[in-house]
Each structure stands twice: as C-alpha cells, then as structure tokens.
Amino acid sequence: MFWQQATGLPLATMLQEANYSFESQQSTLQFHSSQIIPRLGPQPVGKENSVKWKSFVTDGFFPLEYSWSWNKGSSDPPKVRYTVELIGSDAGSTIDPYNQFSGLDAAREIASRNSNVDLTWLSHFSNAVIGNSSGLASATSTCDGASQSSIFLAFDFHHAGGLSMKAYLIPVKAEKIGLSRLEVVSQAIYNLQQQSMARFPAYDLLMKYLSTHSSSHSISVVGLGVDCVRPEKARLRLYLRGSQTSFDSVSEMLSLNGRLPTMESERTVSNVRKLWDLLLSTSPELPSNVNLPESNHETGGVLYSFDIKPANQLPEAKLYIPVKHYAQKDGTAAEGFDTFMREQGRHQWVEGFGKVLEQIGGEGWRERRGMLTYVGVGLEREELSLTSYLAPRFQSSN
C-alpha cells in the first residue's frame, strides 16, 4: 500500500494531465502495479524514513524519478516516463552488494511479455560494465562515486498503449579490476564491435575530446544508457558530469569544443542561455565564464549525455540543467520554466504540469528545492527538445 500511494498516485495524475486515453492510463497503471511496485523493496521506517537501500536514482534515495517529455508542437501531448531502481531482498549483502539481480530479473520478465523489448545489448553491457557481484570491492570504495547502485530501468509510456524500455548501467566493475569507468565502457564497446557488425565512429570522436579535456575540466563518467530494442535500432547513451558550471563550459561540452554543430546557431545558444537563467535565477548579464556557486554534493556539477548510434559519425548531445543544486527553490524554477514555455508558444500543457507538481511535491513544495531535479535539453534542431525530471521525496512520518 505504501508504494502504491507513493508512486502510483503521482503516475495516475501525470497520465491524466498528459491526456492519455482511459485505456492507456489503465494499462500503464496495471503494469506499474504488477511489475514495479512489488520490486521497490520494504517501505522506509521511523521518523527519519530510514531505507534499507540508498538508491542513486534520486539524491533523497527515493528509487523512482518521473519525467515529463514536452511536446514540440501545439497538438502533441507530453509523454510520461520514469526511471526506477528495483530493489532485491539481498541488496547490499555479499550475495548482491550492488543490487543488480532484481533489475535484471525484472528486465527478463518484462521482455517475455513485450515483443518489442530486446535484451541483446543489455546482456552484453551489464556483463561488461557490472559483471558478477561476487568478489567486487567494498561498495564504499568507488572510482568515480560513492553509490552502490548498478542498474536502473527506464520506461516510456506511449499514448497509443505499450511501452519502451531502456536500462542505465553504472560501471561498478571498474572497482574490481582497477580501471576507470571510461576505460571499462570503452572496452565493452570495443568488444561489441569485435563480436558484431556494429561500428561506433561517434564514440571515437567523443573519446578524442575526452582524452584531451576530461582531466582539465573534471569530467567523470556517471553511467551508460542502453536501448532495450533490437540491436539494429538501438543506441547507446554515455552520461558525463562536469564540475565546471559556467555557461561557456556548457557550450564547449555540448559542441565538444567545436567538433559538433550543436551550438552554432545563435538562436539555439540564446534559447539555452535564457532557459538556464530562468531556471537558476542567474542574471543574463552574468559573464558566461563565471561558474555557479560551488556544490560539493556527489551529483553537483552539470550533467550531459551523448547518444551513440551505430554508424553515425557524430554523437548527439543533451544538456541536463541541474535545477536541484543551483535553483533558488522549486517554486522559482517552476515559474521560470513557465515563463520560458509561454515565450516560446509552448504553454498548452503548463497548467496540467502544475497539477503534477502539486501532487508530487505536496504542501510547501514551492519553498523547498530538489523535486525539480533537471530540465533536459535536446539540441537536434533549433527548437529545443525539453524534458522535466521530478524526484518524489519520502514524506515525513511526524
């Protein structure tokens, strides 16, 4: 009952406000109730909401993060999605120190029920970057971060019914074999190329940039995203975090220092900067080489991803504006986003999104910070592709 109320009610609100059909709402909620809720682990206990497993999905250890993918046109409704870490009964023990078994078991069961879900790449990369938990180093001694989590599943729920699945993998195997996360990921991609006809020239280009800039810019690997579809249609997504938080550093990262055409359009640069300022309450007059106030949190800095598709020459960059660490508060960031969407003529679903924020955030959410985690900014064309990410919190039992 706890997880149903904590996760099912917000999901129901999102589906309704995003104008899903009754049939699609029911099928999505049924999937959530049958496949996800039983795998979320025991409910938190005590006044401090102590949890058995500290999930890396959200900074508050809530094992699920929602996302609302905004429409690009006035007639297209938003898409509801979420990312979740499924928590096994042996999570954190010597049997399953990095909590990988529940996620992989769920992926296999979901694949058996959905013909469009294919686990070929998930099987390869989970073995290559996570490996067998037995013998792994202590979970407190990581190469690039302190989290014990190793695998998340992510679902896009389609308006026409059905779902798409992705997996996010944290390369904890690096700890066992004494390599960096980037080296482990690169080896996994190289091995896949040796075993199949897949080629990833876009990854080679990304590596050329990282080989000369990762140290000076303090860029670290967060994880690897894998599409759970047939390999010929799949893509990889490498997640990186940079400690530099100036807008100049963001522009450089998104273009890989001029290797990508991502930030060549003045309109694109202007819109990204305007959104950045509205969300983070920074002045448009702030010099673009000035960093944001320092955050020492493990997830501080700026998050990026790069889509790597077989045979594509260039990766596709995406920015995740870190609202959760650098906005004044959630209410201010929400107002800034509302302003941006209205200025862009993309406000058709803003009111419904506001109801979602009220449902997930609860009383007083505007004065807190952390529910609005990121705004994802895709840069395929001059019109930005936007996604809002939302982290629930464990409600106080006082």
Side-chain angles (χ1 to χ4, degrees):
M1 180 61 72
F2 171 82
W3 288 117
Q4 179 63 46
Q5 292 182 337
T7 66
L9 293 180
L11 178 60
T13 300
M14 294 182 75
L15 294 168
Q16 181 174 344
E17 296 302 330
N19 202 31
Y20 279 68
S21 68
F22 177 78
E23 292 77 14
S24 294
Q25 291 183 47
Q26 292 302 303
S27 63
T28 300
L29 293 172
Q30 172 59 31
F31 166 82
H32 182 71
S33 295
S34 63
Q35 298 296 319
I36 303 303
I37 286 178
R39 295 183 167 101
L40 290 176
Q43 72 178 69
V45 297
K47 292 183 178 181
E48 301 301 320
N49 286 311
S50 177
V51 292
K52 172 190 173 184
W53 178 257
K54 293 184 176 181
S55 175
F56 193 51
V57 172
T58 66
D59 289 351
F61 310 130
F62 200 95
L64 186 148
E65 181 182 61
Y66 302 100
S67 58
W68 174 283
S69 183
W70 292 88
N71 58 308
K72 293 184 179 180
S74 60
S75 61
D76 300 324
K79 181 183 289 185
V80 172
R81 320 180 314 171
Y82 64 61
T83 297
V84 62
E85 181 175 15
L86 304 172
I87 300 170
S89 58
D90 293 319
S93 71
T94 55
I95 298 173
D96 188 17
Y98 290 90
N99 188 39
Q100 68 186 86
F101 297 142
S102 186
L104 293 172
D105 288 345
R108 286 187 284 267
E109 181 169 345
I110 292 166
S112 72
R113 298 168 181 264
N114 294 269
S115 60
N116 65 319
V117 175
D118 185 288
L119 303 184
T120 303
W121 274 16
L122 174 57
S123 298
H124 169 80
F125 283 102
S126 63
N127 181 65
V129 306
I130 300 176
N132 191 324
S133 288
S134 60
L136 281 174
S138 168
T140 60
S141 58
T142 62
C143 293
D144 299 309
S147 171
Q148 299 182 51
S149 298
S150 61
I151 178 170
F152 311 145
L153 299 181
F155 302 95
D156 291 15
F157 299 107
H158 305 311
H159 279 269
L163 56 82
S164 300
M165 188 174 86
K166 299 185 287 291
Y168 299 131
L169 308 173
I170 299 176
V172 295
K173 188 175 181 180
E175 304 158 29
K176 179 179 180 181
I177 60 179
L179 296 177
S180 71
R181 289 183 173 182
L182 185 60
E183 289 171 321
V184 168
V185 170
S186 296
Q187 186 63 50
I189 292 175
Y190 174 78
N191 290 342
L192 180 64
Q193 293 183 125
Q194 296 297 106
Q195 299 166 15
S196 68
M197 298 298 291
R199 294 295 178 266
F200 300 96
Y203 187 77
D204 296 335
L205 186 146
L206 178 58
M207 289 305 100
K208 288 179 181 178
Y209 172 79
L210 293 177
S211 66
T212 56
H213 291 78
S214 60
S215 296
S216 60
H217 289 62
S218 298
I219 300 168
S220 59
V221 173
V222 178
L224 181 69
V226 179
D227 284 346
C228 296
V229 297
R230 293 194 304 274
E232 60 269 21
K233 294 185 177 181
R235 61 177 179 169
L236 301 174
R237 176 173 284 186
L238 186 66
Y239 288 85
L240 304 171
R241 181 172 284 114
S243 65
Q244 300 296 312
T245 57
S246 70
F247 192 77
D248 279 350
S249 68
V250 169
S251 297
E252 179 187 315
M253 189 71 174
L254 292 174
S255 69
L256 297 182
N257 199 27
R259 292 172 173 83
L260 302 180
T262 309
M263 300 292 277
E264 290 180 353
S265 164
E266 291 184 7
R267 179 187 174 193
T268 297
V269 174
S270 175
N271 281 337
V272 174
R273 177 62 192 260
K274 180 181 293 184
L275 180 60
W276 178 274
D277 289 336
L278 286 169
L279 288 169
L280 306 183
S281 298
T282 51
S283 169
E285 305 304 318
L286 182 72
S288 57
N289 63 348
V290 174
N291 282 317
L292 299 171
E294 186 175 355
S295 171
N296 293 320
H297 194 279
E298 182 182 359
T299 60
V302 182
L303 184 65
Y304 307 89
S305 70
F306 292 87
D307 280 6
I308 313 294
K309 299 177 182 178
N312 277 20
Q313 296 299 311
L314 301 177
E316 296 177 7
K318 185 173 182 179
L319 164 68
Y320 299 83
I321 299 177
V323 180
K324 63 181 179 178
H325 290 307
Y326 303 103
Q328 288 184 351
K329 50 189 176 182
D330 283 341
T332 306
E335 291 168 6
F337 188 78
D338 184 293
T339 298
F340 181 84
M341 296 300 277
R342 293 184 186 280
E343 289 181 355
Q344 298 290 312
R346 300 174 62 181
H347 60 280
Q348 294 84 354
W349 304 93
V350 167
E351 183 177 347
F353 183 65
K355 295 178 182 178
V356 169
L357 298 182
E358 295 286 347
Q359 214 292 324
I360 295 177
E363 184 178 356
W365 71 269
R366 291 181 177 275
E367 300 304 315
R368 296 190 294 267
R369 188 175 70 180
M371 176 181 65
L372 295 166
T373 56
Y374 298 100
V375 171
V377 184
L379 301 158
E380 301 92 342
R381 298 178 180 84
E382 284 196 344
E383 184 176 14
L384 306 182
S385 175
L386 302 174
T387 303
S388 296
Y389 294 85
L390 307 171
R393 68 188 186 98
F394 292 113
Q395 299 297 321
S396 174
S397 58
N398 289 336

